[in-house]
Amino acid sequence: MASVCGRCNFDDEYKKEMADKIKAAMDGCGTNEADIVEVLVTHNNEQRQAIAETYRVAYGKPLIEDLISELTGDLEEVVCALMTKPREYDAKMLHDAICGAGTDEYTLIGILCTRTNEEIEQIKEAYTTLYEADLVEDIQGDTSGYFGRMLYSLAQAGRQDCDSDDDLADEEAQKLIDAGVGQLGTDECDFNSVLCLSSYRQLKKVFEKYQEKREGKSIEEDIDSEMGSDLKDGYLAIVKVTKDKEGYFAERLHKAMKGWGTDDSELIRLICSHAETDLLWIAERYKEMFEGADLFENVKDECGGYYKSVLLSLIAGRYVSKDE
């Protein structure tokens, strides 16, 4: 059985075989969810798009429309995530965060504070294609204050990509101190100019210099005391991604399953977005951060049915049945 990384023998005949298998799973009385899940989780996103194209030509309808008509609830949501190209998926999540009832700041932070310049440019292009709208303009229209400024800056996809400069890091660390704990009030613009523009390699050096100058006190501690609400969360996300990207996502996964209930949409977003890139490393970091907790087992305890089967398969890198 192929893993989520995809199959090697992926010719036209095989694509038709997979399209037929999904069609058969939806024909007749009832739906064979197991076959649908098995096909989707044992191929990577690019291969799922190819199967969907074969299905569209063979059966005269977009595969995702037929899947939506057959599935419901969390299973429908996770299958839609799997059937969407990664940057289109980000664009849809951002659109929902901005244009839904209220503003989902947590999702905005989770995407814009963690994507590369290239990915943000691709997200903006996908957003315009899907919604005939400009992402930056929509962000401006839906957010305000310094939090809105931070998101606007990140959406420009202008973060520098250069090696760290020790002297400049020293200057920028002092700039952050002077803009925060070194004065009455906070100069959020100076924080923005450093955190949203400097390369991650440079920021890592800046944060080290900052802690030296503050005699052991971290920038996270000072942001926590100086900033408020969503702006604080956004700046902390940038710091955490700079210092420990896998740890940042592990923390979000933990939060999605912590306490009463499960934030299934966040769980789906995180696992599907990282399944083909760094989910393995995030799972290892998860275990280190949360006293040996196992991501696979925690998701197994929190979720059920074929929805659980999809998530566990993505974590394990192999097909996992709903009864395993």
Side-chain angles (χ1 to χ4, degrees):
M1 187 62 63
S3 75
V4 73
C5 294
R7 298 183 63 106
C8 297
N9 58 327
F10 197 73
D11 56 17
D12 288 343
E13 182 180 352
Y14 179 79
K15 284 184 280 187
K16 181 61 162 58
E17 181 185 337
M18 292 298 100
D20 290 345
K21 185 173 181 177
I22 293 177
K23 184 67 168 65
M26 295 186 286
D27 282 345
C29 183
T31 304
N32 185 341
E33 291 92 345
D35 278 359
I36 294 172
V37 169
E38 185 175 7
V39 171
L40 298 187
V41 302
T42 54
H43 298 88
N44 61 33
N45 191 277
E46 183 178 357
Q47 291 173 342
R48 288 193 290 270
Q49 303 305 321
I51 292 169
E53 175 62 16
T54 299
Y55 185 99
R56 184 185 66 81
V57 174
Y59 298 111
K61 193 173 181 182
L63 173 56
I64 195 166
E65 291 185 13
D66 279 347
L67 289 170
I68 289 172
S69 71
E70 293 287 326
L71 308 173
T72 59
D74 294 327
L75 179 58
E76 177 188 341
E77 185 176 348
V78 75
V79 164
C80 285
L82 290 178
M83 293 305 303
T84 306
K85 295 177 182 178
R87 302 290 77 84
E88 287 183 5
Y89 183 63
D90 283 341
K92 288 183 177 182
M93 294 301 100
L94 288 172
H95 183 264
D96 290 348
I98 297 168
C99 300
T103 304
D104 182 356
E105 292 86 359
Y106 192 61
T107 296
L108 292 175
I109 290 168
I111 295 175
L112 290 175
C113 291
T114 64
R115 300 300 190 258
T116 66
N117 289 343
E118 182 181 5
E119 288 170 342
I120 291 173
E121 291 291 3
Q122 292 169 353
I123 290 167
K124 290 194 290 185
E125 184 178 342
Y127 192 96
T128 299
T129 300
L130 289 168
Y131 305 109
E132 298 183 351
D134 184 85
L135 174 61
V136 176
E137 290 179 2
D138 282 356
I139 288 172
Q140 277 188 300
D142 202 63
T143 60
S144 60
Y146 288 107
F147 178 66
R149 285 177 180 237
M150 180 198 73
L151 295 180
Y152 180 87
S153 294
L154 294 171
Q156 302 308 307
R159 184 177 295 284
Q160 296 170 344
D161 182 20
C162 55
D163 291 331
S164 62
D165 180 298
D166 201 67
D167 291 336
L168 180 59
D170 192 84
E171 292 175 16
E172 291 184 325
Q174 190 61 52
K175 182 178 182 179
L176 292 175
I177 291 170
D178 293 342
V181 295
Q183 67 172 20
L184 184 63
T186 306
D187 187 340
E188 290 89 348
C189 286
D190 277 353
F191 268 84
N192 208 77
S193 69
V194 175
L195 297 183
C196 296
L197 181 62
S198 297
S199 71
Y200 287 116
R201 290 185 291 275
Q202 177 70 11
L203 285 179
K204 192 169 185 179
K205 179 66 70 174
V206 170
F207 301 152
E208 290 172 0
K209 294 283 188 180
Y210 187 100
Q211 193 155 335
E212 289 174 11
K213 289 175 177 289
R214 290 282 288 137
E215 298 180 343
K217 196 163 189 179
S218 70
I219 190 169
E220 294 100 309
E221 293 175 273
D222 285 342
I223 288 175
D224 190 58
S225 65
E226 288 286 317
M227 306 292 179
S229 189
D230 301 318
L231 181 62
K232 176 178 73 175
D233 292 339
Y235 285 161
L236 286 176
I238 294 171
V239 174
K240 291 174 182 177
V241 167
T242 301
K243 290 185 172 184
D244 180 8
K245 191 172 185 178
E246 289 79 14
Y248 172 74
F249 291 118
E251 186 178 320
R252 286 184 71 112
L253 282 165
H254 179 71
K255 186 178 290 186
M257 295 183 284
K258 184 180 178 182
W260 291 100
T262 302
D263 186 344
D264 292 291
S265 292
E266 172 75 348
L267 205 57
I268 290 167
R269 183 164 51 247
L270 289 167
I271 291 176
C272 291
S273 295
H274 295 273
E276 294 177 31
T277 53
D278 55 356
L279 186 57
L280 175 62
W281 292 276
I282 292 170
E284 290 178 355
R285 191 73 183 97
Y286 184 94
K287 183 174 291 188
E288 293 169 359
M289 291 174 66
F290 302 108
E291 300 178 350
D294 186 273
L295 180 61
F296 184 96
E297 294 299 327
N298 285 5
V299 170
K300 186 176 181 179
D301 290 341
E302 291 287 327
C303 307
Y306 292 105
Y307 164 56
K308 176 187 73 175
S309 174
V310 173
L311 295 184
L312 294 183
S313 297
L314 296 177
I315 294 168
R318 60 177 177 82
Y319 172 61
V320 179
S321 74
K322 72 181 184 68
D323 299 319
E324 184 171 329

